[in-house]
Amino acid sequence: MKKITYTFSALLLLLSMSCQVESVNADDFESASKKPQTSSAPEAVVNPEEVSLGDLDTDNPCVSVNLIAGQHHVAGDVSVYNDGEHLIVIFSSNGEWTLGTTHLSLGNCEDDWVPLNGAGNPQIGQFPFTEPISATEYEVVYAISLESLGDNYCFAAHAEVEGPTGGETAWAEGAQFDGNSWAMFVEASLLDCPDTATEDPTDGGEDDGEEEAPLPT
């Protein structure tokens, strides 16, 4: 009888250890699945003093697309400029809409430039750029370093807007992601995005030509 009891106790102990090991492995898998995605996105410029918006030629953006609210309304536009060191991304609303919280993801298209969930929808809460260098209810400005960008780049620009139809989600108009939402992104090229910062019209120097000789008397 004692032998049967001992054997039964040993089996219970082995079963308990097996369950504990399985539980630990499951927890490890869950933790790994929750680790944040690594991002190859360039750095955002968060110091406004590093960027001079007054030098931009705002009449000639590299890219300009509609900001679509609620899938059907044009709430403004999203435009991109190049000041020689940064890409300047400007959300602008029209007179009927105001801007709330904005999110921006931008990077080389071939990299994991935007965080996506398993269904292929963008995870707005994990977008790397959420701190603009300036923001009002009608204009929000981001500055992104050009240092790590290749010739082709992609961006997804999201905004919470308020307008005639109430609060809406808005996206910069472009191609749709593979998921089941209407979220969009824009693919562009730096080759089509020259430095649009205006140059100082004064040369600050003397005349390059030779001084004219005095006429003979």
Side-chain angles (χ1 to χ4, degrees):
M1 182 67 179
K2 291 183 178 180
K3 185 175 181 180
I4 294 175
T5 302
Y6 176 79
T7 302
F8 182 71
S9 299
L11 288 173
L12 286 178
L13 179 61
L14 288 173
L15 181 60
S16 175
M17 292 177 62
S18 175
C19 291
Q20 289 177 4
V21 170
E22 184 178 355
S23 176
V24 170
N25 289 338
D27 290 341
D28 288 344
F29 178 79
E30 183 70 15
S31 298
S33 67
K34 291 183 178 180
K35 289 180 180 178
Q37 298 178 353
T38 57
S39 174
S40 57
E43 293 183 357
V45 177
V46 295
N47 183 0
E49 296 180 358
E50 297 183 23
V51 181
S52 179
L53 298 177
D55 293 336
L56 289 180
D57 181 7
T58 54
D59 292 331
N60 295 291
C62 300
V63 179
S64 186
V65 298
N66 288 328
L67 181 64
I68 303 298
Q71 302 187 58
H72 305 295
H73 311 285
V74 177
D77 59 70
V78 177
S79 299
V80 180
Y81 304 86
N82 176 2
D83 72 354
E85 296 183 6
H86 319 101
L87 278 185
I88 312 298
V89 181
I90 301 180
F91 295 67
S92 299
S93 70
N94 57 32
E96 295 184 334
W97 298 82
T98 56
L99 298 169
T101 303
T102 56
H103 304 86
L104 176 67
S105 190
L106 184 151
N108 295 315
C109 298
E110 66 270 17
D111 297 332
D112 295 330
W113 64 273
V114 59
L116 301 172
N117 62 19
N121 298 314
Q123 295 179 293
I124 300 168
Q126 295 185 24
F127 276 20
F129 308 132
T130 57
E131 297 183 14
I133 61 172
S134 69
T136 69
E137 61 182 357
Y138 298 106
E139 182 180 86
V140 176
V141 182
Y142 288 87
I144 314 299
S145 173
L146 286 170
E147 186 174 351
S148 59
L149 283 179
D151 289 341
N152 297 317
Y153 66 96
C154 292
F155 69 89
H158 168 267
E160 297 174 7
V161 296
E162 188 80 23
T165 59
E168 300 280 5
T169 288
W171 288 94
E173 188 174 24
Q176 288 194 352
F177 287 96
D178 292 335
N180 55 5
S181 72
W182 66 279
M184 296 179 284
F185 70 96
V186 179
E187 184 173 357
S189 173
L190 284 178
L191 300 178
D192 300 326
C193 191
D195 184 346
T196 55
T198 56
E199 297 181 357
D200 187 347
T202 62
D203 56 20
E206 298 180 354
D207 293 338
D208 295 332
E210 296 181 358
E211 185 177 340
E212 295 183 0
L215 296 176
T217 57

